[in-house]
Each structure stands twice: as C-alpha cells, then as structure tokens.
Amino acid sequence: MKIVKISAQRPDPRIIEEAAQVIRRGGLVIFPTETVYGLGADAFNAKAVAKIFKAKGRPEGKPLIVHVAKKSAISTLARAIPSVARKLVQKFWPGPLTLVFHANTKLPKLVTGISNKSSILGTMELLSQAGGKRRTVAIRMPDHPVALAFIRAAGPIAAPSANFSGDPPPRSIREIPKALLEKVDLVLDAGRTPVGAPSTIVDLVGKDPVVLRKGAISKTVLMRAIVR
Ligand code: AMP
Ligand code: MG
C-alpha cells in the first residue's frame, strides 16, 4: 500500500497515470470524489471487483456505483436509456446524482443489481432464469478534478465508499481505518472532500423515476428537473 498526496484542483498527471496503471493491473485505488472517498477497481474486471467486496467485508448482492468521466460513457455501461436520463445528466452531471439503468451484459455480476420490477414474477427460480435481462447498473460522474482525471485515464471505475461495510463513509484519509488502507494498492490523498453527503440515487428502470437513496441533491430539486 502507498499513500500519495495529490492536489485536489490540479492533479499531477504522473500520479494519475500511476493510479491508472494500478487499475489496469486489476488493483484497488482509494480516490477522492466531491462526496466521499471511494474504493475503486476496473468496472469490467470481475476479479478486481471481487477484491473490493473482500476488502470491505461487503455482502455480495449489494451492487456498486460505476464512476465515469464523460456523459457518453452511459452508452457503454447501460442499455435502454430513457429520455429523462438525458435531462438529468444535462442538469446534474458532473455531480452527486447516481442513475440506475438496465445494465450492459458485459459488466461483472457483482457490479450490477437486479431490478425490483422482476419480483412480479415471484419465485427465485424464475428470477434466476431470466436474471440476465434484469440486471441493472448505477452510474455517476463525480465532480472532482482528481476523480475525473483518474477515471479518464483508467476507464469506468466501480467504487463503493472507502469504509468497512456498515461504517460511515470517509471525507478524509484520516477517517479510513489502517486495516482497510492496507488492503489497497494506492491511496490518493487530496484532503477533505467538499460535499460529504452521498449521491442521490434515482432508478430509471421503471415507468417513473424512483429515488432509491436520499443524498446531496434534494427530491424537490430533482423532481423540478424531471417535469421540466
Ligand atoms: P456505497 O456502498 O456507499 O458506495 O453506496 C452505493 C449504493 O448504491 C448502495 O446503496 C447500493 O445499493 C446502490 N446501488 C449500486 N448499484 C445499484 C443498482 N444497480 N441498483 C440499485 N442500487 C444500486
Ligand atoms: Mg457505503
């Protein structure tokens, strides 16, 4: 494990490249976003993603947010993108809004969730039979120069908060337990994260948008953007 200080506003490209190399090798990087610190891996590398769950003690079946550096990346991660998505992305990205779509089938299972809509079918058996069709992916574009530079260099990054499962998410490296820091390859320390509250999560899989998690963007502000 290595901790490197990096400027939040003008990240050193050499440090960014080092972090991207760790990701390409299937390693783990702790990096800042505007909300909290994330513990990231290559979103398309199933082995690397599995390491995140092991490090955090995160239960399988709790999917990860995929972080992107450009809006167009949605089309490589999701399918069936509803028109309301364009409105929300336009208004809130980069920023603390996570959107849930039907997933591209190339994504590792651990990254994806399963749409609630499938529960209409009832039995678990039916669920697993048709499971491939109902996988979902949560995507967000963080508003932080370090996160954006890192993701631009490394590609889409699957990342939960950099804490042990169940603990509060960290706004600074100081708040991350040593035992967790030791489990990753590289830590990018850009000081305290500006927002602190987690991203608001909105499910766009069903007929109407549904707020799955309250966060930095209020429901009122969100709904105003949706009806517009
Ligand atoms: P954290 O674990 O702190 O990074 O929070 C990530 C949150 O995103 C968790 O509450 C997940 O349940 C949620 N999440 C990630 N992917 C999905 C998805 N595909 N569908 C619904 N929620 C998701
Ligand atoms: Mg968390």
Side-chain angles (χ1 to χ4, degrees), residues 56 58 62-65 100 111-114 136-138 159-161 201 212-213:
K56 282 181 54 100
R58 185 178 178 91
K62 195 176 177 196
L64 304 176
I65 295 174
V100 176
V111 172
T112 62
I114 296 178
T136 61
V137 59
S161 45
I201 304 181
L212 296 184
R213 177 176 77 184

Side-chain angles (χ1 to χ4, degrees), residues 36-175:
V36 298
Y37 275 83
L39 198 172
D42 175 353
F44 285 102
N45 182 334
K47 270 194 191 152
V49 165
K51 288 186 196 169
I52 296 177
F53 285 78
K54 187 149 182 267
K56 282 181 54 100
R58 185 178 178 91
E60 289 186 15
K62 195 176 177 196
L64 304 176
I65 295 174
V66 179
H67 295 71
V68 299
K70 53 181 187 208
K71 295 169 185 173
S72 60
I74 293 180
S75 60
T76 68
L77 298 165
R79 50 201 177 83
I81 298 153
S83 59
V84 65
R86 271 168 255 283
K87 263 190 204 175
L88 293 175
V89 162
Q90 209 50 39
K91 185 154 172 68
F92 295 107
W93 281 15
L97 177 67
T98 298
L99 299 173
V100 176
F101 301 96
H102 285 290
N104 180 314
T105 50
K106 289 196 188 75
L107 281 168
K109 278 241 163 71
L110 276 176
V111 172
T112 62
I114 296 178
S115 168
N116 301 330
K117 312 295 177 289
S118 56
S119 60
I120 290 166
L121 281 180
T123 72
M124 287 311 285
E125 225 167 18
L126 278 172
L127 266 179
S128 59
Q129 274 171 24
K133 288 209 180 110
R134 280 192 292 272
R135 312 281 337 175
T136 61
V137 59
I139 311 175
R140 138 171 147 84
M141 179 174 173
D143 188 14
H144 192 294
V146 173
L148 289 172
F150 167 52
I151 299 160
R152 219 175 284 127
I157 297 290
S161 45
N163 50 0
F164 284 121
S165 205
D167 287 353
R171 289 186 72 177
S172 67
I173 300 304
R174 242 183 313 121
E175 295 169 35

